[in-house]
Amino acid sequence: MLNDIRQTSKSGATYIMVAILVVVFAFYFGAPQGSGGGASPDRVARVAGHDLFPEDVNVIQYRSFGAQKATDEAELLQQQAASMRALLMVYLLADRAEKAGMRVSDEELTAYIKNPTANAEFLWAYGQNGKFDGPFYKNYVQFQLRINLAKYEAYKRRELLARKYLTVAESQYRAMDWELTEMNELKNNKVDLEYVKFDPAKLAESISISDAELDEFSATKSKEIAANYATNKAKYEDPAQVRLRRIFILRPAATEGDDKVEAAKTKWESSKTRVASEDFATVAGELTEDYAKEQQGLMEWSTLENMDQSIAAQVKDAKVGDVKEVVTDFAYVLVKLEEKRDAKVTPLAEVEKDIAKTLYQTERVDQEIAKMVTLVVEKAKSSESLEAAIAELRPATVEGDEPVSSVWDAVSASSTGLFTIEGEDYAAILGRSIPGLGRAWDSAPGIGPNAALVLDAFKLTSENPFNGKTYPVGAAKVIIRLKATEKATDETLKENRELYVAQIRDAKIRGQLGPWQAIFFRPIDPFNQLITQYGPVLEGMLKEAMDKETVQVYEKNYVPAQLVKDASNPVVDILADTPSAT
């Protein structure tokens, strides 16, 4: 079958490219076994009656990671597990497609294999000129993918079936009229807020508290003080700590040569002998090879939990002055316990007055802010802006004199500018949130994050621009007043309808099917992380198939299968309706 696409020849350059590929691939994955990559006797899985073997997993693994050598065995197993998961999805979806009446003709398969924009194995090889080379194809499959042609083409038929199924499934996700109306309002209903921020820390500086006031507060708030101490107990606990001095000698790997290995051993033995009769600090200053050489090997205070655990194990029960030997894969270390601090808990009696002062100061600040809010709201009724109201409430300054200090120095006013409740969610585009990029829906520009504030802002009207609420934003307290609004219209919906339809469909597809295209290309996200979970519909489908043993994995035959089997699959109650072939 498909002999025509295997015979088409280009030039001698094809064979040079194949030779290069064979050498490069042998370096990363070892020499090919036989001329056609014959089937392994050990199955790795069975999906709807189809037995799958390691070479089937390799098609996805080699196309995905062929130029990316794993750094260790654990990473290789993760790559193989991600590839196997994609393979299981392909065969499971292909089975669903066949049951729905879908088929792949020889003509469709030929066109698919020869299409450099659709066939992932050839994207990098044919992407530049868009031409297909029969001999290259044959050798590429046999020597780089290491599978025989007939089996590879059978796999590609299953892959194309799976793609057809998901393409039809995608088409079932539509944008409803009510969703378009909501999106239009989400994107085009805007508010501009005036806001006033009260800085509690600055206010606290302007509030004086007498000892008599503090004593009276402490006498009536003993329960609150004790509760605060209990809640913040970690603040009053100092863990046990040790201070070490060490002699650190690098231990060369065997590959660095016998001379270096022996020199390190000699230095190690010499250091042990010398510290028995010489000052440890002097020897450390001469022999240690780490960053503490200038400090004669003296380290900073540290808890046992925050140091190398091989060293921690040796000094855990040591006495001050003891010297311990530690040998790791990469270093020889002599450690001397210089000082020791026992764990300490500061009793409530010693901090009771400080806690009382903090609580009383917070209470006084809240009371002061409540008074100031009332004054601002009242003054704003006759002022053109909140900023003007604050200016009028500040103490008057005589020309030429220094400004008079007051509680109003802890207050600032500004405005947000028009903004929507949608925010700027780049995470939806990038697949993950990046700190500092975009604006979350629950954060008002210039103010900061507070979901209640943002939701309330869109309930304000020109008739009732104030709601009388004070919102905590970080350490600050904030009040808001509506300054201006813009409303969504039928015209904005008409202008953006196609865009909104696409965005709603994309959100539904991503939410239900996840990054399904990666199944047919590389199971890697845009941040170069392995994809181990697809959308809830696909994960629910796979879990259901495993529960019913339509999909069986054989972890005893193939270690990565255990990682697939142990994966935490989200369970969903709603599975996509089975698409029809029409």
Side-chain angles (χ1 to χ4, degrees):
M1 186 184 71
L2 308 178
N3 285 328
D4 59 318
I5 66 172
R6 304 174 192 168
Q7 302 301 325
T8 307
S9 178
K10 286 287 179 192
S11 67
T14 295
Y15 301 98
I16 296 174
M17 288 179 68
V18 171
I20 293 172
L21 280 172
V22 171
V23 172
V24 171
F25 223 72
F27 172 75
Y28 283 109
F29 296 103
Q33 302 295 318
S35 61
S40 163
D42 296 324
R43 295 181 300 179
V44 302
R46 184 174 177 83
V47 181
H50 293 270
D51 288 330
L52 303 178
F53 298 89
E55 57 265 30
D56 298 309
V57 179
N58 291 347
V59 172
I60 297 176
Q61 183 197 350
Y62 291 170
R63 81 182 179 203
S64 301
F65 309 104
Q68 178 181 327
K69 189 175 182 180
T71 56
D72 54 38
E73 184 178 359
E75 183 180 359
L76 177 60
L77 288 175
Q78 293 289 346
Q79 291 176 357
Q80 291 171 328
S83 301
M84 181 177 178
R85 191 175 187 77
L87 182 70
L88 295 178
M89 288 289 188
V90 166
Y91 273 80
L92 182 58
L93 290 165
D95 179 62
R96 291 285 185 104
E98 286 185 328
K99 288 177 179 176
M102 299 178 187
R103 298 293 183 267
V104 171
S105 67
D106 286 354
E107 292 74 16
E108 286 178 304
L109 181 59
T110 298
Y112 181 55
I113 289 176
K114 294 174 71 173
N115 184 347
T117 63
N119 188 5
E121 285 82 71
F122 297 100
L123 280 174
W124 70 275
Y126 291 97
Q128 292 183 352
N129 57 26
K131 296 179 180 178
F132 189 87
D133 188 322
F136 184 96
Y137 161 70
K138 179 179 179 181
N139 285 285
Y140 179 92
V141 170
Q142 290 179 322
F143 290 101
Q144 182 150 340
L145 300 183
R146 297 198 286 183
I147 190 170
N148 66 58
L149 282 170
K151 193 164 189 179
Y152 171 76
E153 289 166 359
Y155 163 73
K156 296 305 286 186
R157 189 180 293 275
R158 308 303 296 172
E159 185 179 272
L160 185 51
L161 268 173
R163 289 186 75 140
K164 280 188 169 187
Y165 183 86
L166 285 179
T167 300
V168 173
E170 265 200 344
S171 68
Q172 297 183 3
Y173 293 101
R174 297 182 176 87
M176 310 300 289
D177 287 343
W178 67 266
E179 292 173 321
L180 291 168
T181 299
E182 283 197 355
M183 178 163 279
N184 183 39
E185 293 175 352
L186 187 70
K187 289 180 174 294
N188 295 294
N189 281 348
K190 300 177 183 179
V191 297
D192 183 3
L193 301 176
E194 291 182 280
Y195 63 90
V196 175
K197 272 189 177 182
F198 300 85
D199 186 336
K202 283 188 178 180
L203 271 174
E205 293 172 6
S206 66
I207 296 174
S208 60
I209 300 173
S210 68
D211 289 341
E213 288 177 302
L214 200 55
D215 290 342
E216 183 181 350
F217 179 84
S218 298
T220 59
K221 300 289 185 178
S222 57
K223 289 184 179 179
E224 289 83 350
I225 293 170
N228 183 277
Y229 175 80
T231 301
N232 299 285
K233 196 168 184 179
K235 179 180 175 181
Y236 307 109
E237 294 178 345
D238 295 318
Q241 291 184 301
V242 296
R243 196 171 196 190
L244 308 177
R245 193 183 297 274
R246 74 181 189 183
I247 298 173
F248 181 93
I249 299 169
L250 288 170
R251 186 179 181 186
T255 55
E256 296 183 49
D258 293 341
D259 291 347
K260 289 186 176 181
V261 171
E262 289 304 316
K265 285 181 180 178
T266 300
K267 188 174 182 180
W268 168 239
E269 295 300 328
S270 172
S271 67
K272 290 192 290 183
T273 301
R274 289 182 60 183
V275 298
S277 57
E278 298 180 43
D279 177 55
F280 193 100
T282 302
V283 178
E286 180 183 337
L287 298 182
T288 193
E289 298 175 355
D290 64 356
Y291 62 90
K293 188 177 183 69
E294 291 185 3
Q295 291 78 41
Q296 294 184 306
L298 186 63
M299 315 299 291
E300 296 296 329
W301 284 96
S302 173
T303 62
L304 294 178
E305 292 77 16
N306 288 339
M307 65 175 61
D308 186 304
Q309 290 305 292
S310 59
I311 295 176
Q314 290 295 320
V315 301
K316 180 176 65 172
D317 299 318
K319 298 177 182 178
V320 172
D322 285 354
V323 175
K324 299 292 183 179
E325 299 178 14
V326 179
V327 178
T328 70
D329 291 339
F330 59 88
Y332 300 108
V333 189
L334 274 180
V335 180
K336 181 181 179 182
L337 179 56
E338 291 282 354
E339 298 179 79
K340 203 171 186 179
R341 290 176 182 164
D342 293 331
K344 178 186 175 185
V345 177
T346 303
L348 173 59
E350 292 185 20
V351 294
E352 185 174 7
K353 192 167 185 177
D354 291 335
I355 295 173
K357 184 177 181 179
T358 299
L359 293 178
Y360 184 51
Q361 199 169 55
T362 300
E363 184 178 287
R364 286 283 304 277
V365 166
D366 289 343
Q367 291 170 353
E368 193 66 35
I369 289 176
K371 294 177 184 176
M372 296 169 77
V373 167
T374 301
L375 291 172
V376 171
V377 172
E378 188 61 32
K379 180 62 68 174
K381 293 177 181 178
S382 58
S383 301
E384 62 182 17
S385 67
L386 289 180
E387 191 168 10
I390 298 298
E392 291 180 41
L393 288 167
R394 295 185 193 280
T397 301
V398 178
E399 188 174 349
D401 289 350
E402 291 291 324
V404 179
S405 297
S406 74
V407 292
W408 297 101
D409 294 336
V411 180
S412 61
S414 188
S415 59
T416 61
L418 288 166
F419 70 96
T420 70
I421 202 170
E422 180 186 29
E424 298 165 353
D425 187 11
Y426 292 110
I429 300 171
L430 300 174
R432 68 171 64 179
S433 61
I434 299 177
L437 184 62
R439 176 180 64 82
W441 74 267
D442 61 351
S443 182
I447 297 177
N450 185 299
L453 182 153
V454 173
L455 292 172
D456 287 347
F458 284 82
K459 298 174 185 175
L460 298 175
T461 64
S462 56
E463 292 79 16
N464 295 292
F466 268 122
N467 62 9
K469 294 183 181 180
T470 302
Y471 301 92
V473 181
K477 304 287 186 179
V478 178
I479 61 172
I480 58 174
R481 182 173 79 168
L482 183 65
K483 183 178 180 182
T485 62
E486 281 188 9
K487 293 293 184 181
T489 64
D490 291 342
E491 190 61 31
T492 57
L493 177 56
K494 183 178 179 181
E495 290 174 2
N496 297 287
R497 187 180 183 87
E498 288 187 12
L499 174 63
Y500 295 167
V501 167
Q503 290 179 341
I504 291 169
R505 289 193 66 250
D506 181 62
K508 289 182 175 181
I509 290 166
R510 281 188 289 104
Q512 295 299 309
L513 301 180
W516 69 263
Q517 294 88 347
I519 295 171
F520 308 106
F521 289 91
R522 304 176 72 210
I524 303 171
D525 69 17
F527 294 87
N528 208 34
Q529 299 297 308
L530 292 176
I531 295 174
T532 58
Q533 293 287 312
Y534 296 94
V537 168
L538 296 184
E539 293 299 335
M541 189 183 297
L542 180 59
K543 184 178 188 304
E544 180 185 55
M546 285 184 166
D547 290 343
K548 293 181 177 180
E549 296 189 346
T550 306
V551 172
Q552 297 173 288
V553 296
Y554 305 118
E555 63 273 16
K556 291 182 180 179
N557 294 346
Y558 190 64
V559 175
Q562 185 65 55
L563 298 179
V564 175
K565 195 170 186 177
D566 291 343
S568 176
N569 300 326
V571 181
V572 293
D573 296 325
I574 302 174
L575 297 181
D577 294 333
T578 303
S580 65
T582 58

